[in-house]
């Protein structure tokens, strides 16, 4: 069971999360707990690392006080037992002292590496997990607190976005946790953080606690991995756009990955991989409504047949770039040149399309990257006479229709575009991958919600099970 920052808002929430764990233990389950930083803490620590580097002392001090306040208050709210509470406050104090020392070092050096930044970020998970662990002890569970490093998650040295070395990790984790579980002890583990082969602390990318949970679940051959969040599960559409949107009870790994990438629920894009490989179902559940079933992510073969489309997602804050030139026709390497420029500028391309005439290539990127993308494309390519024009549109959105059942089902695209056309919405660009898991297209932002509602209705998603 992994508890995310959206669930861990304060001491009361930590107590609630701990009661969920205890209740499931009392029913005879063996549980491993993974904890992420309290809500907003990782962002705050990131901010503090930069403030230290830039020597913004007043801001840094104020944030340090805030960190102290948030965690101390949470510990006092969650833990009633006098002795356990005292122990918690002691360990929080020593974490906070260490954090302050590191920030002071960075302040004096005026230099922040991704390695030291990862170490700073690790305090969010360590402090939250210390509180949660002691809250569970206070509820009479036998527990052991472990960091990602202590439990044996070994990653590469790609600080900030490290990837676990699965074989080694699985061996370590099993060796560490199995004896504890057999003795009826509940391991309580920091999410997000691990260590490289030299033992230097790494982090596994934002939202990485989900990843920790599936890595541990796969290593232990768990029955299920449960991700506790503040939402009921994956939904057929954003309920703010479509009030009749439903929680999807079962979805396949590949569909869920598609939805994670498209930002339906902010999920770590690689988090499902270990579970998918080990064939361990992943359940997304609402910690504030634990009686609800949530969404179960399973192998495709375990899904009901006949459901073609599962969800309609809307991605806002994107821009469309079109690169054109008659010289591009029949000339190999043009697309490569465009993507190389963007890749070197560290810009992620979300969607691509080129017509057979090859006179232009359209691509969609995150709106925050637009200026950087245009600048680098103009500097590197406009002079090359390969490309005559680069245009962009800002007021657009991407709509993606997701569902494994679309694969090999004729007529889905026709239904999609007919439904959109009926509402008078113009489609600017279209893309479908050969996986056929989704059909994506671009419309004007002002039309986007209308289009989402039309599609939700067309595929009867309010009746999905
Ligand atoms: N605390 C980390 C983050 O905010 C990891 C996580 O939440 O899963 O990205
Ligand atoms: Mg989080």
């Amino acid at each position: 069971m992994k508890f995310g920052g959206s669930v861990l808002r304060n001491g009361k929430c930590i107590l609630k999360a701990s009661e969920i764990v205890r209740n499931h233990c009392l029913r005879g389950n063996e549980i491993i707990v993974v904890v992420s930083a309290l809500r907003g803490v990782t962002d705050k620590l990131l901010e503090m690392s930069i403030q230290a580097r830039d020597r913004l002392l007043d801001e840094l001090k104020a944030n340090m006080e805030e960190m102290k306040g948030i965690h101390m208050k949470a510990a006092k709210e969650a833990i009633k037992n006098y002795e356990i509470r005292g122990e918690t406050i002691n360990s929080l104090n020593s974490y906070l002292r260490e954090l302050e020392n590191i920030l002071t070092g960075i302040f004096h050096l005026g230099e922040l590496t991704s390695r030291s930044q990862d170490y700073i970020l690790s305090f969010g998970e360590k402090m939250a997990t210390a509180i949660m662990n002691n809250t569970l002890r206070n509820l009479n569970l036998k527990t052991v607190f472990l960091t990602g490093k202590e439990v044996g998650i070994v990653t590469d040295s790609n600080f900030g976005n490290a990837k676990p070395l699965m074989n080694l990790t699985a061996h370590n984790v099993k060796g560490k946790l199995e004896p504890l579980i057999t003795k009826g002890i509940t391991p309580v583990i920091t999410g997000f953080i691990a260590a490289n082969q030299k033992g230097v602390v790494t982090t596994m990318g934002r939202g990485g606690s989900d990843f920790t949970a599936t890595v541990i679940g796969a290593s232990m051959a768990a029955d299920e991995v449960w991700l506790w969040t503040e939402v009921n599960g994956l939904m057929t559409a954003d309920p703010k756009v479509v009030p009749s949107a439903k929680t999807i009870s079962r979805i396949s790994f590949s569909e869920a990955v598609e939805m994670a990438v498209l930002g339906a629920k902010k999920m770590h894009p690689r988090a499902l991989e270990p579970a998918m490989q080990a064939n361990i179902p992943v359940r997304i559940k609402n910690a504030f409504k634990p009686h609800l079933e949530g969404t179960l992510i399973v192998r495709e073969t375990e899904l009901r047949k006949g459901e073609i489309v599962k969800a309609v997602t809307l991605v806002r804050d994107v821009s469309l770039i079109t690169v054109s030139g008659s010289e591009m026709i029949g000339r190999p390497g043009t697309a490569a040149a465009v993507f190389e420029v963007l890749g070197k500028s560290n810009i992620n391309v979300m969607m691509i399309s080129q017509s057979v005439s090859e006179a232009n290539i359209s691509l969609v990127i995150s709106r925050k990257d637009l200026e950087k993308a245009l600048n680098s494309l103009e500097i590197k390519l406009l002079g090359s006479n390969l490309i005559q024009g680069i245009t962009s549109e800002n007021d657009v959105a991407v709509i993606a229709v997701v569902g494994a059942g679309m694969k090999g089902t004729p007529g889905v695209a026709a239904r999609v575009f007919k439904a959109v056309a009926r509402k008078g919405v113009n489609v600017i660009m279209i893309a479908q991958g050969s996986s056929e898991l989704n059909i994506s297209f671009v419309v004007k932002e002002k039309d986007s919600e209308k289009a989402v509602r039309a599609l939700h209705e067309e595929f009867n998603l309010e009746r999905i099970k």
Side-chain angles (χ1 to χ4, degrees):
M1 290 188 174
K2 172 257 175 177
F3 293 87
S6 64
V7 172
L8 305 173
R9 301 171 182 175
N10 51 43
K12 252 195 227 135
C13 293
I14 296 174
L15 185 55
K16 235 192 210 127
S18 304
E19 282 165 353
I20 289 176
V21 174
R22 187 209 35 201
N23 293 344
H24 282 89
C25 282
L26 289 181
R27 274 179 233 149
N29 298 290
E30 294 166 334
I31 295 174
I32 299 165
V33 181
V34 172
V35 185
S36 97
L38 303 191
R39 182 160 73 167
V41 165
T42 306
D43 286 331
K44 195 49 91 191
L45 289 168
L46 260 174
E47 204 180 296
M48 290 165 72
S49 68
I50 289 162
Q51 285 164 345
R53 181 198 67 194
D54 296 346
R55 305 196 171 168
L56 302 167
L57 194 56
D58 292 342
E59 286 90 335
L60 184 58
K61 274 191 172 153
N63 274 332
M64 195 67 211
E65 280 310 305
E66 201 184 323
M67 278 294 100
K68 202 176 203 163
I70 290 171
H71 291 95
M72 290 299 176
K73 184 159 171 275
K76 285 173 195 157
E77 275 171 0
I79 303 161
K80 303 284 171 293
N81 178 292
Y82 189 75
E83 227 165 275
I84 300 178
R85 186 196 278 186
E87 285 170 34
T88 316
I89 288 171
N90 283 345
S91 51
L92 287 178
N93 268 326
S94 79
Y95 281 138
L96 288 161
R97 256 196 314 273
E98 196 186 344
L99 174 63
E100 200 169 331
N101 283 340
I102 292 158
L103 289 166
T104 308
I106 287 168
F107 178 88
H108 287 302
L109 289 168
E111 184 187 71
L112 174 69
T113 61
S114 51
R115 172 178 163 157
S116 40
Q117 187 163 63
D118 269 6
Y119 197 59
I120 291 168
L121 294 187
S122 76
F123 284 90
E125 267 66 16
K126 287 190 281 207
M127 291 193 284
T129 309
I131 301 171
M132 179 98 175
N133 175 51
N134 284 333
T135 309
L136 287 165
R137 282 175 60 212
N138 195 176
L139 296 180
N140 295 322
L141 285 189
K142 272 194 280 173
T143 67
V144 166
F145 170 106
L146 294 163
T147 63
K149 175 176 166 176
E150 287 162 348
V151 79
I153 302 178
V154 183
T155 67
D156 60 22
S157 297
N158 186 14
F159 294 101
N161 201 14
K163 200 174 170 190
L165 310 174
M166 249 344 258
N167 288 341
L168 181 55
T169 297
H171 175 80
N172 291 346
V173 169
K174 228 171 145 196
K176 191 87 195 180
L177 295 185
E178 240 166 29
L180 297 176
I181 302 271
T182 331
K183 278 186 235 145
I185 294 171
T186 306
V188 186
I189 303 164
T190 59
F192 183 47
I193 60 181
N196 69 8
Q197 278 169 296
K198 290 188 189 129
V200 181
V201 171
T202 55
T203 65
M204 305 200 292
R206 294 306 305 271
S209 301
D210 289 341
F211 206 4
T212 305
T214 55
V215 165
I216 290 178
S219 306
M220 296 299 289
D223 295 320
E224 286 188 12
V225 174
W226 288 17
L227 307 176
W228 290 96
T229 65
E230 58 172 344
V231 296
N232 292 348
L234 297 178
M235 299 196 74
T236 54
D238 180 350
K240 281 184 223 113
V241 177
V242 186
S244 65
K246 287 273 155 10
T247 305
I248 305 167
S249 63
R250 270 171 177 250
I251 194 166
S252 71
F253 281 109
S254 47
E255 288 168 323
V257 168
E258 209 81 5
M259 289 178 74
V261 173
L262 294 164
K265 170 201 175 283
K266 296 229 162 29
M267 205 194 284
H268 189 292
R270 286 202 309 253
L272 290 174
E273 255 171 48
M276 185 158 48
Q277 266 157 23
N279 192 25
I280 296 170
V282 175
R283 202 182 278 278
I284 299 174
K285 275 180 76 83
N286 189 336
F288 303 105
K289 295 177 190 163
H291 57 282
L292 296 180
E293 287 290 307
T295 297
L296 188 67
I297 307 173
V298 290
R299 269 197 193 169
E300 213 160 298
T301 50
E302 287 163 51
L303 291 179
R304 267 181 298 274
K305 298 274 174 288
E307 281 171 354
I308 300 170
V309 168
K310 284 264 170 52
V312 186
T313 61
L314 172 55
V315 189
R316 301 175 208 262
D317 303 319
V318 296
S319 296
L320 176 72
I321 297 181
T322 302
V323 178
S324 56
S326 49
E327 290 293 317
M328 287 163 53
I329 301 171
R331 183 139 152 198
T334 322
V338 170
F339 295 122
E340 192 186 323
V341 169
L342 295 174
K344 280 197 176 138
S345 308
N346 216 357
I347 292 164
N348 184 40
V349 177
M350 300 166 70
M351 205 174 145
I352 306 162
S353 124
Q354 181 186 31
S355 65
V356 277
S357 82
E358 300 181 31
N360 58 58
I361 298 172
S362 298
L363 38 99
V364 175
I365 59 169
S366 175
R367 196 173 293 163
K368 65 174 181 4
D369 291 335
L370 180 65
E371 210 161 322
K372 192 161 76 165
L374 290 177
N375 280 339
S376 30
L377 286 171
E378 281 166 7
I379 291 168
K380 303 263 168 53
L381 296 180
L382 260 190
S384 70
N385 84 23
L386 187 66
I387 278 161
Q388 276 132 23
I390 300 173
T391 57
S392 65
E393 275 179 74
N394 239 336
D395 52 344
V396 295
V398 175
I399 294 173
V401 177
V402 178
M406 298 194 298
K407 201 175 197 154
T409 310
V412 183
R415 277 176 74 186
V416 166
F417 296 113
K418 242 191 225 157
V420 172
R422 245 184 267 126
K423 300 286 172 187
V425 174
N426 181 43
V427 174
I428 301 169
M429 169 185 170
I430 303 172
Q432 180 186 26
S434 58
S435 70
E436 297 183 46
L437 282 166
N438 88 62
I439 296 174
S440 312
F441 57 96
V442 175
V443 297
K444 285 282 182 200
E445 193 155 36
K446 66 169 175 43
D447 291 334
S448 59
E449 297 197 352
K450 206 172 12 173
V452 170
R453 283 191 285 268
L455 289 165
H456 203 268
E457 205 180 305
E458 170 66 30
F459 291 99
N460 283 321
L461 295 184
E462 69 280 353
R463 270 192 266 140
I464 210 160
K465 292 276 162 36

